[in-house]
């Protein structure tokens, strides 16, 4: 059905000055919606048949111009909806016209999102989003554009450009997932309207492939755990790998931040940096011995990665990044000596924790082997939902 937009004098409502408000009236599907025009008029100066001010109305030209401008805004929006074949009601039309979005460019929203990450001390994530932002700037020359410009065609051009850079398909997926997060953030902040959202038709899921194997067999794990380090760095690398494996696949960054406060009655309790979820792990005897081995009265941290010198989050991030590079290099060399079929890293301990339990017959609903991937949150929900006794029994299968 057709949509009509006009202005009426709402004479059933009389103000203190005896005037009645002028109202925008939208009629769609036999349903009407009214919105105040912001001005009022004496009913005697309104032509109720023609729905316009009479020739004797004071400020006639101003009122007519205001009416024309407002009606045009509504009719333009109706034309936009129809051209895009979008369904709307009188109410939704009113909402779209009277709740305009904030005017911010893609660049400004990226900066805002990155600043919020930095304020939350999520510096590594902030750096990752900076990489995506710089990639977009390199592609488009600038990001001084509205989000509505990033339509499906624009995204496809960016995809082709990324491919021309020789990047792996998973890297492409990462770039687009970041951009999708920023776009959703912009919608939440009322910076762009949801009807412009391009990711309903541009599927990011196509930009992924199975990641290379990151876990090893139980006998290979034991060979690593029993390896006798030849240097202090090798000993530390093996110990950190061992602790990660025995402590439910805790990652390197979280290991680095552990203090004595995270130990309670032989249980490890900490907040995962990545997901901000609390994790509780029963510590096995070998893991407890590793903590005791590195315990130092002048260092609040459990392992010699961070110290009281590292006060700011940026200092901690830089230090962790530096040490994990050395540890992983050492682990890779050890893995080659042991004929491990893949590059040995601290992350292999995280994946192997899950796969060893699964291959030992532990119920897959208790633990998922896809740690670190898109299902990591689901995995952690599963882990949190089971009782301590179940997890302790399952952990006995690690050695």
């Amino acid at each position: 059905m057709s949509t009509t937009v006009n202005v009426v004098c709402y004479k059933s409502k009389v103000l203190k000055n005896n005037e009645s408000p002028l109202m925008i009236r939208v009629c769609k599907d036999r349903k009407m919606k009214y919105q105040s025009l912001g001005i009022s008029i004496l009913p005697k100066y309104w032509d109720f048949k023609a729905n316009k001010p009479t020739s004797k109305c004071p400020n006639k030209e101003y009122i007519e111009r205001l009416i024309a401008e407002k009606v045009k805004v509504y009719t333009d929006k109706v034309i936009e909806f129809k051209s895009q074949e979008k369904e709307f009601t009188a109410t939704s039309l009113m909402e779209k016209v009277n709740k305009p979005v904030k005017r911010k460019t893609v660049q400004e929203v990226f900066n805002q999102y990155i600043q919020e990450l930095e304020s939350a001390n999520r510096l590594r994530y902030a750096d990752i989003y900076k990489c995506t932002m710089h990639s977009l700037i390199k592609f488009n020359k600038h990001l001084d554009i509205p989000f509505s410009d990033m339509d499906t065609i624009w995204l496809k051009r960016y995809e082709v450009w990324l491919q021309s850079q020789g990047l792996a398909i998973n890297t492409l997926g990462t770039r687009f997932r970041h951009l999708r997060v920023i776009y959703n953030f912009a919608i939440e902040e009322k910076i762009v309207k949801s009807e412009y959202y391009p990711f309903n038709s541009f599927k990011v899921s196509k930009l992924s492939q199975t990641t290379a194997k990151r876990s090893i067999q139980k006998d290979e794990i034991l060979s690593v755990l029993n390896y006798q380090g030849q240097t202090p760095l090798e000993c530390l690398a093996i110990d950190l790998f061992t602790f990660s494996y025995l402590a439910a696949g805790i990652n390197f960054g979280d290991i680095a931040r552990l203090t004595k406060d995270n130990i309670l009655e032989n249980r490890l309790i900490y907040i995962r940096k990545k997901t901000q979820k609390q994790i509780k792990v029963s510590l096995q005897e070998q893991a407890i011995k590793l903590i005791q081995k590195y315990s130092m009265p002048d260092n609040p941290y459990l392992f010699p990665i961070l110290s009281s010198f590292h006060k700011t989050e940026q200092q901690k991030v830089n230090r962790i990044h530096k040490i994990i590079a050395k540890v992983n290099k050492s682990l890779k060399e050890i893995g080659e000596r042991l004929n491990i079929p893949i590059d040995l890293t601290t992350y292999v301990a995280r994946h192997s924790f899950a796969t060893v339990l699964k291959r030992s017959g532990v119920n897959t609903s208790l633990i998922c082997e896809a740690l670190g991937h898109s299902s990591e949150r689901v995995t952690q929900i599963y882990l949190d939902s089971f009782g301590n006794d179940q997890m302790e029994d399952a952990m006995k299968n690690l050695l």
Side-chain angles (χ1 to χ4, degrees):
M1 296 182 67
S2 63
T3 303
T4 60
V5 180
N6 52 29
V7 173
V8 297
C9 180
Y10 209 65
K11 64 179 180 180
S12 60
K13 182 176 182 179
V14 180
L15 305 177
K16 290 183 179 180
N17 59 2
N18 293 322
E19 294 181 344
S20 294
L22 295 184
M23 310 284 283
I24 285 280
R25 181 175 66 188
V26 175
C27 183
K28 173 79 162 58
D29 299 331
R30 297 180 180 177
K31 294 182 179 180
M32 290 184 288
K33 186 74 175 177
Y34 293 87
Q35 175 71 38
S36 174
L37 194 63
I39 59 174
S40 58
I41 191 174
L42 288 172
K44 68 179 182 179
Y45 293 126
W46 187 257
D47 185 338
F48 287 90
K49 289 185 178 181
N51 274 332
K52 65 178 184 179
T54 64
S55 57
K56 295 182 180 180
C57 176
N59 300 320
K60 176 176 176 292
E61 292 183 359
Y62 167 75
I63 294 174
E64 287 179 334
R65 186 171 67 252
L66 181 63
I67 290 173
E69 290 174 354
K70 198 66 174 179
V71 169
K72 184 177 184 302
V73 172
Y74 278 86
T75 53
D76 284 350
K77 180 58 68 175
V78 170
I79 293 172
E80 178 185 327
F81 281 152
K82 288 183 177 180
S83 66
Q84 296 175 354
E85 298 182 349
K86 292 182 177 179
E87 295 291 332
F88 67 95
T89 64
T91 299
S92 64
L93 177 61
M94 283 279 188
E95 290 177 347
K96 294 299 181 184
V97 171
N98 293 294
K99 294 182 180 179
V101 298
K102 303 173 187 175
R103 299 301 177 188
K104 281 189 178 182
T105 66
V106 174
Q107 179 71 74
E108 290 172 324
V109 176
F110 254 104
N111 290 338
Q112 179 183 345
Y113 190 79
I114 290 170
Q115 186 176 20
E116 289 187 11
L117 287 175
E118 291 175 339
S119 298
N121 278 331
R122 303 184 70 186
L123 303 186
R124 293 294 291 173
Y125 285 98
D127 288 342
I128 292 172
Y129 276 88
K130 285 178 184 177
C131 287
T132 296
M133 181 180 70
H134 293 318
S135 170
L136 288 164
I137 292 173
K138 189 175 180 181
F139 159 69
N140 199 62
K141 310 306 180 187
H142 63 86
L143 291 180
D144 189 23
I145 56 174
F147 277 87
S148 56
D149 281 5
M150 286 183 164
D151 55 14
T152 303
I153 295 175
W154 194 96
L155 294 179
K156 288 181 178 178
R157 287 197 297 108
Y158 180 47
E159 178 187 0
V160 171
W161 180 83
L162 286 173
Q163 290 172 338
S164 71
Q165 306 298 302
L167 299 175
I169 190 169
N170 282 341
T171 302
L172 269 66
T174 299
R175 295 282 185 266
F176 278 100
R177 283 194 296 274
H178 292 164
L179 183 54
R180 185 175 60 188
V181 168
I182 294 295
Y183 211 113
N184 285 325
F185 177 74
I187 292 175
E188 291 173 4
E189 293 289 307
K190 308 298 183 185
I191 293 165
V192 62
K193 297 175 182 178
S194 58
E195 58 258 36
Y196 292 116
Y197 191 65
F199 292 102
N200 290 327
S201 54
F202 185 93
K203 300 299 182 182
V204 177
S205 57
K206 68 179 180 178
L207 300 173
S208 64
Q209 61 183 189
T210 303
T211 306
K213 177 184 175 185
R214 289 186 180 180
S215 63
I216 54 181
Q217 301 286 342
K218 185 173 181 178
D219 59 338
E220 293 168 334
I221 282 285
L222 295 178
S223 71
V224 176
L225 270 55
N226 294 324
Y227 181 83
Q228 299 298 313
Q230 300 174 16
T231 65
L233 179 58
E234 283 191 354
C235 292
L236 176 64
I238 293 297
D239 287 344
L240 293 174
F241 184 96
T242 302
F243 186 82
S244 175
Y245 175 70
L246 296 177
I250 180 174
N251 79 359
F252 192 90
D254 290 322
I255 291 177
R257 290 179 169 83
L258 294 177
T259 68
K260 297 178 179 63
D261 293 336
N262 294 117
I263 307 299
L264 181 63
E265 297 179 352
N266 290 337
R267 293 186 65 80
L268 178 64
I269 304 173
Y270 69 99
I271 302 296
R272 175 114 165 84
K273 180 71 172 176
K274 183 175 182 178
T275 62
Q276 295 300 300
K277 290 184 65 65
Q278 185 184 71
I279 297 177
K280 300 178 181 180
V281 180
S282 177
L283 288 173
Q284 298 189 52
E285 183 179 353
Q286 192 170 341
I288 295 173
K289 288 181 178 179
L290 288 175
I291 292 173
Q292 294 171 343
K293 176 181 177 180
Y294 290 100
S295 176
M296 297 182 66
D298 59 340
N299 188 1
Y301 296 98
L302 298 185
F303 293 95
I305 303 170
L306 298 177
S307 69
S308 55
F309 171 80
H310 305 101
K311 300 185 184 303
T312 69
E313 182 61 22
Q314 188 63 62
Q315 288 176 323
K316 294 175 183 178
V317 168
N318 292 344
R319 175 66 176 176
I320 292 171
H321 183 70
K322 179 180 178 180
I323 299 302
I324 194 174
K326 292 182 178 181
V327 166
N328 280 335
K329 181 181 178 182
S330 183
L331 286 174
K332 182 180 178 181
E333 294 171 352
I334 292 170
E336 291 172 351
R337 295 187 202 126
L338 295 174
N339 295 317
I340 302 298
I342 62 174
D343 287 346
L344 195 63
T345 67
T346 57
Y347 214 69
V348 171
R350 181 168 174 77
H351 276 252
S352 297
F353 158 76
T355 55
V356 167
L357 290 188
K358 181 177 179 180
R359 290 166 182 164
S360 298
V362 175
N363 194 305
T364 54
S365 62
L366 179 61
I367 188 164
C368 171
E369 69 178 327
L371 285 169
H373 296 167
S374 60
S375 58
E376 181 175 343
R377 291 182 182 179
V378 177
T379 302
Q380 195 54 59
I381 290 172
Y382 280 134
L383 290 172
D384 288 345
S385 66
F386 286 85
N388 294 337
D389 292 342
Q390 287 176 284
M391 275 305 302
E392 288 178 13
D393 288 341
M395 297 280 279
K396 293 176 183 177
N397 291 283
L398 292 174
L399 297 175

